[in-house]
Amino acid sequence: MAAMLVSALCYSGLCALCLSMARHYRQCWSRAPQPYTVNALRVIGWPALGAALCASVARWGAGLGSVFAVTALGAVGLLLVGLMSWRPRWAVLLAPAWLAVAAGLLLA
Amino acid sequence: MAWLHTWSGLLLGWLLFTIFLAGTASYFREEISRYMRPELAAVAFDPVRAADAAQRYLTRHASAATRWSVTLPSARNPDELSVFWRDAERRSHSHLVDVRTGERALVRDTRGGDFFYRLHFDLHYVSARTARWIVGFAAMMMLVAIVSGVITHKRIFRDFFTFRAGKGQRAWLDAHNVLAVLPLPYHALITYTGLVTLMFMYMPWGVSSQYGEKTTPFFDTVFGQSAALEPSGDTANLAPLGGMVNRAQRHWQGAHAGFISVSNPGDRAARVDVRRGQGCDVAVSTAGIEFDHRGVWLRELDSSGGAARVREVLYGLHLGRFAPPVLRALLFVLGLAGTAMVATGLVLWGVKRSRSRERAGAGDRVVAVLNVAVVAGLPLAMAALFWANRLLPIEMNDRAEWEIHAFFVVWAGALVMALVRCDQYGWRRLLGAAAIAFAGVPLINALTTERGLIHSLVSGDWLFAAFDFAMLTIAVVFTAAVWLLGSRQNAGREVPRVLRKAEV
Amino acid sequence: MTIVRIRNTISRVKRNHGTEYRLAVASRVVAAIVGGYALSALATMFLSAALPMAVVSAVLAATLLSFLMYAAAVVWVFAAATAGRAWLGLLICAVALVFGLLAFKTS
């Protein structure tokens, strides 16, 4: 299901970008991130968001696709913030889990 | 600039909260309407048949009218066929017609989900014109609040994901920021496109400066309509509308017809304008086919020009009718986020002010009372509307209006309760009342109709089941809010002064 | 020394809460709401005439942009250094637009 994949990519991208900020990295692992970790997270994060947009446009066309991507980004972002402030580790774990579920649904 | 953001947000915050909440509810306007008309049994979606049924009804009851308007059923609301006309004395008539029989639909008199839709720009108890100016002013203030909010919050990305729960004022500020910034494209777009939907009323000067008094050619081009005709005086039978709808739909390759306008029905100079339904495209559709009284295809109508298409896209983005179910749910979530953004802004204002003053001034009390009355009272009133819909006697006169009166009476009651106590206890009381009210909706539904939750689950009536579940979910959310507010007090965590027991 | 301090405090309070301050704020509010609307209406009329497209499209485009122009005008009014400058800025733009409109009317 394309909606799951787009949402999963949005979530993972936002999660990576969120963790690339020292304040939020510390929320999870109680220490400052290494410079290369920060860069790695940014390299993962932005392309993930780009991929979400591409997947959305590929599935629904330019108009509907871009609306879906932007909307999903906002909604998923709120979920991320809520989780991060409640259980940071779970918030991080959700990213690969959601991607795995979405990939599984697509391949099945 | 921060000053501008705070004041432009506050002064109209309560109105903006209402607009946002009613508007967000309108994403499910059709579903709410169907729930509030439980007598309407599910009918197969068939615009052609509906058009014929409407024609039968109108020929019998509205033969003297100069214009018929038929709103055909939509895929989301296949049993709602409504007709509209003005009689010889210019009185308007708007009826629901049963698709199967062509008779008046035997259904309780209610405005359904259209009430929330109209509430968010026409308000109530004031003329539509006045209401739209007030709402437009509020929308403009909201736009200014967004722009000034972005300018104020210059390091917007630093706090992008920050939410520090449980730390009093800081938590409210973080919540306000997160709810505002993450869905920022949505809020900005909804506010701007909302203004666009009524732009010819708010900013008519471009049109009037170029067209003066003769604005009809402009609007005909913008809305894809053809010029009106004078009646010829000769009577002639109108060909079956269903056939015309069929031909139009085939031309649109499956896109359904949504609206039919018949001018001079029964006359030889009759014109039938079949409009395409909304929802196929992000942009609203201004496409139509014009037929004459014999059903002969006259011409295809549509707006022209890139600017017209831009207007249609913006309008369509505001309505959100194009959204398939998942996207609609996401839009609903963001709409709720916008509503919560306004609410947290209002609470934050009260919290911030109470900290910087020793005694709560009169202005602070007004803010505190209105915060409770509006933020907790409006949802309570919405639940009351559903109660009234099920409980008011079916044969009552002006039943639809009385459902709405019940809504406002309950809201006024919430204001009274807020006047008595606007502190934390006052919040918990009203939120608790809302929780009970929402939990009661499925109960009353089961007691007064045959489409209660158990029956819906058993017979696969997923709309009614989903609606009842949604009511229960909302009740749970409000209960959680009451519990959270209570535990904060017990845990002795920092409670903002305005929420502590009101100082006399 | 104390007298100087008291005087400084009084003038600071007057600056932030005195009549002069309130008048300046009220002036800006009027400038923003009324002046901003008038300016965006003028700009809409100007663009409707000036944009190099079909009249219908020009009017539509101008009207669509009007709200953004209004918002920009309001932000300008409150970002200007003084209330007087806010009014002056609005006035200068309005005069320029009126001249532009007249130019298009005669051409």
Side-chain angles (χ1 to χ4, degrees), chain C residues 27-61:
Chain C
S27 164
R28 288 206 205 222
V29 169
V30 173
I33 297 181
V34 178
Y37 184 80
L39 191 64
S40 50
L42 273 174
T44 310
M45 289 196 271
F46 173 72
L47 283 175
S48 303
L51 282 174
M53 359 167 147
V55 172
V56 174
S57 295
V59 169
L60 275 173

Side-chain angles (χ1 to χ4, degrees), chain C residues 3-96:
Chain C
I3 298 182
V4 174
R5 236 189 272 153
I6 293 173
R7 263 212 219 122
N8 286 340
T9 317
I10 292 178
S11 60
R12 183 165 40 87
V13 169
K14 247 204 220 161
R15 233 183 303 133
N16 288 339
H17 296 285
T19 346
E20 228 180 279
Y21 174 76
R22 283 178 200 271
L23 270 174
V25 167
S27 164
R28 288 206 205 222
V29 169
V30 173
I33 297 181
V34 178
Y37 184 80
L39 191 64
S40 50
L42 273 174
T44 310
M45 289 196 271
F46 173 72
L47 283 175
S48 303
L51 282 174
M53 359 167 147
V55 172
V56 174
S57 295
V59 169
L60 275 173
T63 315
L64 284 170
L65 288 170
S66 66
F67 303 111
L68 302 173
M69 297 190 281
Y70 193 176
V74 172
V75 170
W76 150 257
V77 162
F78 285 95
T82 69
R85 282 227 198 130
W87 278 106
L88 194 61
L90 289 179
L91 219 55
I92 293 177
C93 290
V95 167

Side-chain angles (χ1 to χ4, degrees), chain A residues 21 23-24 64 75 77 81 85, chain B residues 157 159 161-163 182 322 334:
Chain A
M21 294 180 179
R23 175 192 295 178
H24 298 292
L64 199 56
V81 171
S85 64
Chain B
F157 294 108
D159 295 337
F161 298 103
T162 306
F163 178 55
L182 268 168
F322 59 88
L334 291 188

Side-chain angles (χ1 to χ4, degrees), chain A residues 3 14 17-18 21 23-24 63-64 67-68 70-72 74-75 77-78 80-81 85, chain B residues 157-159 161-163 178-179 182-183 185 282 317 322 326-327 330-331 333-334 337:
Chain A
L14 278 177
L17 289 174
C18 176
M21 294 180 179
R23 175 192 295 178
H24 298 292
L64 199 56
V67 173
F68 194 100
V70 171
T71 310
L78 290 173
L80 173 67
V81 171
S85 64
Chain B
F157 294 108
R158 193 185 61 150
D159 295 337
F161 298 103
T162 306
F163 178 55
V178 166
L179 288 165
L182 268 168
V282 172
L317 281 172
F322 59 88
V326 172
L327 182 54
L330 287 176
L331 287 171
V333 165
L334 291 188

